[in-house]
Coordinates of all heavy atoms in Angstrom, one line a residue:
M21 N -25.3 40.2 -8.0 CA -25.6 38.8 -8.3 C -26.5 38.3 -7.1 O -26.1 38.4 -5.9 CB -24.4 37.9 -8.3 CG -23.6 38.1 -9.6 SD -24.2 36.9 -10.9 CE -22.8 35.9 -11.0
P22 N -27.6 37.7 -7.4 CA -28.4 37.2 -6.3 C -27.9 35.9 -5.8 O -27.3 35.1 -6.5 CB -29.8 36.9 -7.0 CG -29.4 36.7 -8.5 CD -28.2 37.6 -8.7
H23 N -28.1 35.7 -4.5 CA -27.8 34.4 -3.9 C -29.1 33.6 -3.8 O -30.1 34.1 -3.4 CB -27.3 34.6 -2.5 CG -26.0 35.3 -2.4 ND1 -25.0 35.0 -1.5 CD2 -25.5 36.4 -3.0 CE1 -24.0 35.8 -1.6 NE2 -24.3 36.7 -2.5
Y24 N -29.0 32.4 -4.3 CA -30.2 31.6 -4.2 C -30.0 30.6 -3.1 O -29.0 30.0 -2.9 CB -30.4 30.8 -5.5 CG -30.7 31.7 -6.7 CD1 -29.7 32.2 -7.5 CD2 -32.0 32.1 -6.9 CE1 -30.0 33.0 -8.5 CE2 -32.4 32.9 -7.9 CZ -31.4 33.4 -8.8 OH -31.7 34.3 -9.8
V25 N -31.1 30.6 -2.3 CA -31.0 29.7 -1.1 C -31.8 28.4 -1.4 O -32.9 28.4 -1.9 CB -31.7 30.4 0.1 CG1 -31.7 29.4 1.3 CG2 -31.0 31.7 0.5
F26 N -31.0 27.3 -1.2 CA -31.6 26.0 -1.5 C -31.7 25.2 -0.2 O -30.9 25.4 0.7 CB -30.7 25.2 -2.4 CG -30.6 25.8 -3.8 CD1 -29.7 26.9 -4.1 CD2 -31.5 25.4 -4.8 CE1 -29.6 27.4 -5.3 CE2 -31.4 26.0 -6.1 CZ -30.5 27.0 -6.3
V27 N -32.6 24.3 -0.2 CA -32.6 23.3 0.9 C -32.5 21.9 0.3 O -33.2 21.5 -0.6 CB -34.0 23.4 1.7 CG1 -34.1 22.3 2.8 CG2 -34.0 24.8 2.4
C28 N -31.6 21.2 0.9 CA -31.4 19.8 0.5 C -32.5 18.9 1.0 O -32.8 19.0 2.2 CB -30.0 19.3 1.0 SG -29.7 17.6 0.5
Q29 N -33.1 18.1 0.1 CA -34.2 17.3 0.5 C -33.7 16.0 1.1 O -34.5 15.3 1.7 CB -35.0 16.9 -0.8 CG -35.6 18.1 -1.5 CD -36.5 18.9 -0.6 OE1 -37.6 18.5 -0.2 NE2 -36.1 20.1 -0.2
D30 N -32.4 15.8 1.0 CA -31.8 14.5 1.6 C -31.3 14.8 3.1 O -31.6 14.0 4.0 CB -30.7 14.0 0.8 CG -31.3 13.3 -0.5 OD1 -32.5 13.0 -0.5 OD2 -30.5 13.1 -1.5
C31 N -30.5 15.8 3.2 CA -30.0 16.1 4.6 C -30.6 17.3 5.2 O -30.3 17.6 6.4 CB -28.4 16.2 4.5 SG -27.9 17.7 3.7
H32 N -31.5 17.9 4.5 CA -32.3 19.0 5.1 C -31.5 20.2 5.6 O -31.9 20.9 6.5 CB -33.2 18.5 6.2 CG -34.1 17.4 5.7 ND1 -35.2 17.6 4.9 CD2 -34.1 16.1 5.9 CE1 -35.8 16.5 4.6 NE2 -35.1 15.5 5.2
K33 N -30.3 20.3 5.0 CA -29.5 21.5 5.3 C -29.7 22.6 4.2 O -30.0 22.2 3.1 CB -28.0 21.2 5.4 CG -27.8 20.3 6.7 CD -26.3 20.0 6.7 CE -26.0 19.1 8.0 NZ -24.6 18.6 8.0
D34 N -29.6 23.8 4.6 CA -29.7 24.8 3.6 C -28.4 25.4 3.2 O -27.4 25.3 4.0 CB -30.8 25.9 4.0 CG -30.4 26.6 5.2 OD1 -29.3 26.3 5.8 OD2 -31.2 27.4 5.7
F35 N -28.3 26.0 2.0 CA -27.1 26.5 1.6 C -27.4 27.5 0.5 O -28.5 27.6 0.0 CB -26.1 25.4 1.0 CG -26.7 24.7 -0.1 CD1 -26.4 25.0 -1.4 CD2 -27.6 23.6 0.1 CE1 -26.9 24.2 -2.5 CE2 -28.1 22.9 -0.9 CZ -27.8 23.2 -2.2
T36 N -26.4 28.4 0.2 CA -26.7 29.4 -0.8 C -25.8 29.2 -2.0 O -24.6 28.7 -1.9 CB -26.5 30.8 -0.3 OG1 -25.2 30.9 0.2 CG2 -27.5 31.1 0.8
E37 N -26.3 29.5 -3.2 CA -25.4 29.5 -4.4 C -25.6 30.8 -5.0 O -26.7 31.4 -5.1 CB -26.0 28.4 -5.3 CG -25.7 27.0 -4.9 CD -24.2 26.6 -5.2 OE1 -23.6 27.2 -6.1 OE2 -23.7 25.7 -4.5
V38 N -24.5 31.3 -5.6 CA -24.5 32.6 -6.3 C -24.6 32.2 -7.8 O -23.7 31.6 -8.4 CB -23.3 33.4 -6.1 CG1 -23.4 34.7 -6.9 CG2 -23.2 33.8 -4.6
L39 N -25.8 32.4 -8.4 CA -26.0 32.0 -9.8 C -26.6 33.2 -10.6 O -27.4 34.0 -10.1 CB -27.0 30.9 -9.8 CG -26.6 29.5 -9.3 CD1 -27.8 28.6 -9.3 CD2 -25.4 28.9 -10.1
H40 N -26.1 33.3 -11.8 CA -26.8 34.2 -12.7 C -28.2 33.6 -13.0 O -28.3 32.4 -13.0 CB -26.0 34.4 -14.0 CG -26.5 35.5 -14.9 ND1 -27.5 35.2 -15.8 CD2 -26.2 36.8 -14.9 CE1 -27.7 36.4 -16.4 NE2 -27.0 37.3 -15.9
I41 N -29.1 34.5 -13.3 CA -30.5 34.0 -13.5 C -30.6 33.0 -14.6 O -31.3 32.1 -14.6 CB -31.5 35.2 -13.7 CG1 -32.9 34.7 -13.7 CG2 -31.2 35.9 -15.0 CD1 -33.8 35.4 -12.7
S42 N -29.7 33.2 -15.6 CA -29.7 32.3 -16.8 C -29.1 30.9 -16.4 O -29.3 29.9 -17.1 CB -28.9 32.9 -17.9 OG -27.6 33.0 -17.6
E43 N -28.3 30.9 -15.3 CA -27.7 29.6 -14.9 C -28.7 28.7 -14.1 O -28.5 27.5 -14.0 CB -26.5 29.9 -14.0 CG -25.4 30.5 -14.8 CD -24.2 30.7 -13.8 OE1 -24.3 31.6 -12.9 OE2 -23.2 30.1 -14.0
L44 N -29.7 29.4 -13.6 CA -30.7 28.6 -12.8 C -31.3 27.4 -13.5 O -31.4 26.4 -12.9 CB -31.8 29.6 -12.4 CG -31.8 30.1 -10.9 CD1 -33.1 30.8 -10.7 CD2 -31.6 29.0 -9.9
S45 N -31.6 27.6 -14.7 CA -32.3 26.5 -15.4 C -31.3 25.5 -16.0 O -31.6 24.3 -16.3 CB -33.1 27.0 -16.6 OG -32.4 27.8 -17.4
T46 N -30.0 25.9 -16.1 CA -29.0 25.0 -16.8 C -28.1 24.3 -15.8 O -27.5 23.3 -16.1 CB -28.2 25.8 -17.8 OG1 -27.6 26.9 -17.1 CG2 -29.1 26.3 -18.9
T47 N -27.9 24.9 -14.6 CA -27.0 24.4 -13.6 C -27.6 23.4 -12.7 O -28.7 23.7 -12.2 CB -26.4 25.6 -12.8 OG1 -25.8 26.5 -13.7 CG2 -25.3 25.1 -11.8
R48 N -27.0 22.3 -12.5 CA -27.4 21.4 -11.5 C -26.8 21.7 -10.2 O -25.6 21.6 -10.0 CB -27.0 19.9 -11.9 CG -27.9 19.4 -13.1 CD -27.8 17.9 -13.1 NE -28.7 17.3 -14.1 CZ -29.9 17.0 -13.9 NH1 -30.4 17.2 -12.7 NH2 -30.7 16.5 -14.8
V49 N -27.6 22.1 -9.3 CA -27.1 22.5 -8.0 C -27.0 21.3 -7.1 O -27.9 20.5 -7.0 CB -28.0 23.6 -7.4 CG1 -27.5 24.0 -6.0 CG2 -28.2 24.8 -8.3
K50 N -25.8 21.2 -6.5 CA -25.6 20.0 -5.6 C -25.5 20.5 -4.2 O -24.9 21.6 -3.9 CB -24.3 19.3 -6.0 CG -24.4 18.4 -7.2 CD -23.1 17.6 -7.4 CE -23.2 16.6 -8.5 NZ -22.0 15.9 -8.7
C51 N -26.0 19.7 -3.3 CA -25.8 20.0 -1.9 C -24.3 19.9 -1.5 O -23.7 18.9 -1.8 CB -26.6 19.0 -1.1 SG -26.3 19.1 0.7
P52 N -23.8 20.9 -0.9 CA -22.3 20.9 -0.5 C -22.1 20.0 0.7 O -21.0 19.6 1.0 CB -22.0 22.3 -0.2 CG -23.3 22.9 0.2 CD -24.4 22.2 -0.6
H53 N -23.2 19.6 1.3 CA -23.1 18.8 2.6 C -23.0 17.3 2.2 O -22.2 16.6 2.8 CB -24.2 19.1 3.5 CG -24.3 20.6 3.9 ND1 -23.5 21.2 4.7 CD2 -25.2 21.5 3.5 CE1 -23.8 22.5 4.8 NE2 -24.9 22.7 4.1
C54 N -23.9 16.9 1.3 CA -23.9 15.5 1.1 C -23.8 15.1 -0.4 O -23.8 14.0 -0.8 CB -25.2 14.9 1.6 SG -26.7 15.4 0.7
G55 N -23.8 16.2 -1.3 CA -23.6 15.9 -2.7 C -24.8 15.6 -3.5 O -24.8 15.3 -4.7
S56 N -26.0 15.6 -2.8 CA -27.2 15.3 -3.5 C -27.6 16.4 -4.4 O -27.4 17.6 -4.2 CB -28.3 15.1 -2.4 OG -29.6 14.9 -3.0
E57 N -28.3 16.0 -5.5 CA -28.8 17.0 -6.4 C -30.3 17.2 -6.1 O -31.0 17.9 -6.9 CB -28.7 16.5 -7.9 CG -27.2 16.6 -8.3 CD -27.0 16.2 -9.8 OE1 -28.0 15.8 -10.4 OE2 -25.9 16.2 -10.3
H58 N -30.8 16.6 -5.1 CA -32.2 16.6 -4.7 C -32.4 17.8 -3.8 O -32.6 17.7 -2.6 CB -32.5 15.3 -4.0 CG -34.0 15.1 -3.9 ND1 -34.5 14.2 -3.0 CD2 -35.1 15.7 -4.5 CE1 -35.9 14.2 -3.1 NE2 -36.2 15.1 -4.0
V59 N -32.3 19.0 -4.4 CA -32.4 20.2 -3.7 C -33.5 21.1 -4.2 O -34.0 20.9 -5.3 CB -31.1 21.1 -3.8 CG1 -29.9 20.3 -3.2 CG2 -30.8 21.5 -5.2
E60 N -34.0 21.9 -3.3 CA -35.2 22.7 -3.7 C -34.8 24.2 -3.4 O -34.3 24.5 -2.4 CB -36.3 22.3 -2.8 CG -37.6 23.0 -3.1 CD -38.8 22.3 -2.4 OE1 -39.1 22.8 -1.3 OE2 -39.4 21.4 -2.9
Q61 N -35.1 25.0 -4.4 CA -34.8 26.4 -4.3 C -35.9 27.0 -3.4 O -37.1 26.9 -3.5 CB -34.9 27.1 -5.6 CG -34.4 28.5 -5.6 CD -34.7 29.3 -6.8 OE1 -34.7 28.7 -7.9 NE2 -34.9 30.6 -6.7
Q62 N -35.4 27.8 -2.4 CA -36.3 28.5 -1.5 C -36.6 29.9 -1.9 O -37.7 30.2 -2.1 CB -35.6 28.5 -0.1 CG -35.4 27.1 0.5 CD -36.7 26.4 0.8 OE1 -37.1 25.5 0.0 NE2 -37.4 26.8 1.8
Y63 N -35.6 30.7 -2.0 CA -35.8 32.1 -2.4 C -34.5 32.7 -2.9 O -33.4 32.1 -2.6 CB -36.4 32.9 -1.3 CG -35.6 32.8 0.0 CD1 -34.6 33.8 0.2 CD2 -35.9 31.9 1.0 CE1 -33.8 33.7 1.4 CE2 -35.1 31.8 2.1 CZ -34.1 32.8 2.4 OH -33.4 32.7 3.5
A64 N -34.6 33.8 -3.5 CA -33.4 34.5 -4.0 C -33.2 35.6 -3.0 O -34.1 36.3 -2.5 CB -33.6 35.0 -5.4
E65 N -31.9 35.8 -2.7 CA -31.5 36.8 -1.8 C -30.5 37.8 -2.4 O -29.5 37.4 -2.9 CB -30.8 36.1 -0.6 CG -30.6 36.8 0.6 CD -30.1 35.9 1.7 OE1 -28.9 35.5 1.6 OE2 -30.8 35.5 2.6
F66 N -30.9 39.0 -2.5 CA -30.0 40.0 -3.1 C -29.1 40.6 -2.0 O -29.6 41.3 -1.1 CB -30.8 41.0 -3.8 CG -31.5 40.5 -5.0 CD1 -32.8 39.9 -4.9 CD2 -30.9 40.5 -6.3 CE1 -33.4 39.3 -6.1 CE2 -31.5 40.0 -7.4 CZ -32.8 39.4 -7.3
S67 N -27.9 40.2 -2.1 CA -26.9 40.5 -1.1 C -26.7 42.0 -0.9 O -26.6 42.7 -1.9 CB -25.6 39.9 -1.4 OG -24.7 40.2 -0.4
A68 N -26.8 42.4 0.3 CA -26.5 43.8 0.6 C -25.0 44.0 0.9 O -24.6 45.2 1.1 CB -27.3 44.2 1.8
V69 N -24.3 42.9 0.9 CA -22.9 43.0 1.3 C -22.1 43.8 0.2 O -21.2 44.6 0.6 CB -22.2 41.6 1.4 CG1 -20.7 41.7 1.7 CG2 -22.9 40.8 2.5
T70 N -22.4 43.7 -1.0 CA -21.7 44.4 -2.1 C -22.3 45.7 -2.4 O -21.9 46.4 -3.3 CB -21.7 43.5 -3.4 OG1 -23.1 43.2 -3.7 CG2 -20.9 42.2 -3.2
A71 N -23.3 46.1 -1.6 CA -24.0 47.3 -1.9 C -23.6 48.5 -1.1 O -24.3 49.3 -0.7 CB -25.6 47.1 -1.8
K72 N -22.3 48.5 -0.8 CA -21.8 49.5 0.1 C -21.7 50.8 -0.7 O -21.1 50.9 -1.8 CB -20.4 49.2 0.6 CG -20.4 48.2 1.8 CD -19.0 48.0 2.3 CE -19.0 47.0 3.4 NZ -17.7 46.6 3.8
K73 N -22.3 51.8 -0.2 CA -22.1 53.1 -0.8 C -21.6 54.1 0.2 O -22.1 54.1 1.3 CB -23.5 53.6 -1.3 CG -23.9 52.9 -2.6 CD -25.3 53.4 -3.0 CE -25.8 52.7 -4.2 NZ -27.2 53.1 -4.6
S74 N -20.6 54.8 -0.2 CA -20.0 55.7 0.8 C -20.2 57.2 0.4 O -20.6 57.4 -0.8 CB -18.5 55.4 1.0 OG -17.8 55.4 -0.2
Ligands
LIG145 ZN1 -27.6 17.3 1.4

C-alpha cells in the first residue's frame, strides 16, 4: 500500500495517509494536526518497511 504524503495548506505541516489508489478520489483527507481538508498531495511513497525479504 502506498503512503501518500500531504501538506496542509492551513498549518503547513505534512503527514502521510495510507490509501488505496481508488480511495484517493473518494476520500476526503483531513489534516491530523488542525482538521483542515485544505490539503495538497505531494507524492506517493511506497513503503520499504513491509518489503522485508529474508
Ligand atoms: Zn493542518
